Amino acid sequence: MKKTIMLVLALALLLPGMMLFAGGEQESAVEQDNSVEVLHWWTSGGEAAALGVLKEDLNGQGIEWIDSPIAGGGGTEAMTVLRSRATSGNPPAAVQMLGFDIIDWAELGVLADLNEIAEAEGWDAVVPEAIKRFSKYNGNWIAAPVNVHSTNWVWANKKIMDELGIEQPTTWDEYIAAMDAAKAAGYIGLAHGGQAWQDATIFDGVVVSVGGPEFYKAAMVDTDDAALRSDKMTEVFARMETLRGYMDDNFSGRDWNLATAMVIEGQALFQMMGDWAKGEFFNAGKVPGEDFVAFRTPGSQGTVTFNSDQFVFFAVEESKQKAQGLLAQAVLSPSFQIAFNTIKGSVPSRTDVSDAEFTIIGKAAMAELAEANANGTLFGSMAHGHSVPAAIKNAMYDVITAHLNGQLSTADAADALADAVAAAAQ
Ligand code: GAL
């Protein structure tokens, strides 16, 4: 990856007009292109509906949106396409990106500088530190955060719960008992899509559930060898094995939104997924509290493992910079933050937005995020690139997925995880 990246850098430096981003307000002598190509992975029903808000906003400002959707939840495929496009000297003007990936690209010096817009719009005062850590590089703004999601959630079909007399579980034992009841009644206990990033999304919550916030930090953020090899980590893998027993036989490769649809349609009781799942329930016309409920992975209450979608802007020729600027400005405007995030299932990336228009789950998510931030229990999601750089994340993915697929025993998994992380860190 690093070699490819150096090549990218060399090519990008040859790009004409590689100037610092001028900002939306500035008049330019160069004739402006008024279109912006956006590479993203928001292709599910709920995601596309949310993205529609942004497209309309920009169209209303006379900017043509050139859509480059790359299907694949979590953005794995989108990042592969981005690397090949950038390597051939043809990066899109704007790209959806997560966490440490943003920093990797910033290190190469190929991103536009958003300082002028950030200053004019007062971003510094309203974007929380945990997000700014990935929106800024060397003190300069290089990304515009769209939202904040979190990964330690369970989505549940309320009708199945009512039919089987299942109360919202608060402990791991209650959680397992609920899935036992669903299985006995002929339902699938846990809807899941067997893709590495989805396996890892479940893992985020289970690590917190087993070991609490300190353990999550030690293992998933600090990658402490002793924590990775600990009995607690073996217990995490034991729980993953237990969860595997509630998934159906066809889970391999399934897209996350199809797993959500299994809960929506009443085939499955639960799905463990980030709160973009909420966007799928909304898109299907489902009502929180009536058709579905959401709760934190049992045992992880009080801790939030977050990820924030951000747009980064590649340094492109001057004629394309005005459209980039308007996109950057649009994503952080308070009205857009409400319109978009109420559909997407995420919460605003700025702290001064009212929760009045959010549903009961959205209000709770906003309050929990603020609380976790204040209590020191807000951590970047490993699964979504916010706790460790991509190389380490991918090493973790491999072990988690091999274990879930039965290729690695629970007894060996913690050591395998520690070994893989150590190898990737070299
Ligand atoms: C996450 C992203 C979310 C959602 C999800 C599934 O990485 O942050 O916005 O799109 O992938 O595609």
Side-chain angles (χ1 to χ4, degrees):
M1 159 91 178
K2 285 281 172 203
K3 269 191 208 138
T4 321
I5 297 282
M6 290 319 289
L7 181 60
V8 172
L9 174 58
L11 286 164
L13 286 171
L14 296 175
L15 280 172
M18 181 147 164
M19 301 160 71
L20 286 193
F21 208 34
E25 302 283 317
Q26 186 170 323
E27 287 303 323
S28 165
V30 174
E31 200 184 326
Q32 291 295 309
D33 174 332
N34 283 348
S35 71
V36 61
E37 184 193 355
V38 186
L39 190 145
H40 63 89
W41 63 90
W42 282 333
T43 56
S44 77
E47 291 172 330
L51 197 62
V53 175
L54 186 53
K55 288 182 188 169
E56 260 173 46
D57 187 316
L58 283 178
N59 287 342
Q61 301 188 57
I63 299 295
E64 185 200 349
W65 176 284
I66 302 175
D67 206 31
S68 285
I70 310 292
T76 312
E77 287 78 6
M79 291 303 102
T80 306
V81 170
L82 174 63
R83 279 193 293 276
S84 89
R85 291 228 6 212
T87 307
S88 57
N90 177 32
V95 183
Q96 177 192 357
M97 221 182 260
L98 297 172
F100 280 90
D101 286 341
I102 302 174
I103 303 301
D104 274 352
W105 285 98
E107 266 171 12
L108 297 170
V110 294
L111 301 184
D113 176 334
L114 308 177
N115 281 348
E116 214 170 297
I117 295 178
E119 203 175 309
E121 301 283 317
W123 289 358
D124 248 317
V126 295
V127 176
E129 288 303 324
I131 310 289
K132 269 196 266 194
R133 176 171 175 225
F134 300 106
S135 316
K136 293 176 91 170
Y137 180 71
N138 282 344
N140 297 314
W141 283 89
I142 40 92
V146 186
N147 63 3
V148 187
H149 274 299
S150 62
T151 58
N152 55 324
W153 287 104
V154 180
W155 304 89
N157 182 298
K158 180 77 164 57
K159 299 222 158 71
I160 302 180
M161 286 174 73
D162 291 347
E163 178 197 318
L164 303 179
I166 296 170
E167 296 289 324
Q168 185 171 307
T170 55
T171 65
W172 190 259
D173 288 347
E174 287 169 10
Y175 184 54
I176 298 300
M179 285 189 284
D180 276 332
K183 209 173 165 179
Y187 294 107
I188 295 163
L190 190 60
H192 182 61
Q195 297 174 345
W197 73 269
Q198 294 188 59
D199 304 342
T201 300
I202 296 186
F203 199 81
D204 272 353
V206 176
V207 171
V208 181
S209 172
V210 168
E214 299 81 16
F215 181 63
Y216 183 89
K217 180 170 185 300
M220 297 290 109
V221 182
D222 301 338
T223 61
D224 174 61
D225 191 71
L228 292 169
R229 282 182 207 283
S230 64
D231 290 347
K232 274 190 189 153
M233 190 55 82
T234 303
E235 173 63 19
V236 171
F237 282 105
R239 288 194 185 182
M240 293 295 289
E241 188 181 339
T242 302
L243 291 176
R244 172 70 183 85
Y246 296 100
M247 296 170 189
D248 67 315
D249 290 340
N250 299 321
F251 82 110
S252 184
R254 176 187 288 138
D255 287 334
W256 68 272
N257 51 314
L258 299 182
T260 312
M262 290 163 65
V263 178
I264 293 175
E265 287 159 13
Q267 296 159 33
L269 174 62
F270 295 146
Q271 181 190 20
M272 301 171 83
M273 188 41 63
D275 42 13
W276 43 91
K278 199 195 319 168
E280 298 302 300
F281 284 94
F282 289 158
N283 197 47
K286 300 297 176 189
V287 180
E290 275 175 36
D291 301 309
F292 70 103
V293 290
F295 49 91
R296 295 288 175 183
T297 305
S300 78
Q301 300 91 328
T303 296
V304 173
T305 49
F306 81 95
N307 58 301
S308 166
D309 292 300
Q310 310 215 21
F311 279 120
V312 303
F313 301 88
F314 276 78
V316 289
E317 56 263 49
E318 209 185 333
S319 64
K320 296 192 166 159
Q321 292 178 3
K322 180 175 166 228
Q324 284 183 320
L326 288 172
L327 173 54
Q329 224 166 2
V331 300
L332 268 144
S333 80
S335 57
F336 168 78
Q337 284 283 320
I338 294 172
F340 177 88
N341 287 308
T342 48
I343 298 178
K344 182 71 169 67
S346 37
V347 304
S349 57
R350 46 191 295 163
T351 49
D352 60 343
V353 174
S354 155
D355 70 359
E357 291 188 38
F358 287 79
T359 62
I360 180 169
I361 305 173
K363 285 189 172 73
M366 282 171 81
E368 286 168 12
L369 184 74
E371 221 171 282
N373 192 26
N375 294 342
T377 55
L378 174 67
F379 301 106
S381 152
M382 179 279 291
H384 294 268
H386 281 67
S387 79
V388 285
I392 297 179
K393 176 191 82 174
N394 290 332
M396 290 189 172
Y397 274 17
D398 287 348
V399 175
I400 293 164
T401 291
H403 171 264
L404 194 72
N405 290 342
Q407 292 148 359
L408 179 65
S409 75
T410 293
D412 292 338
D415 278 338
L417 185 67
D419 291 345
V421 167
Q426 275 170 9

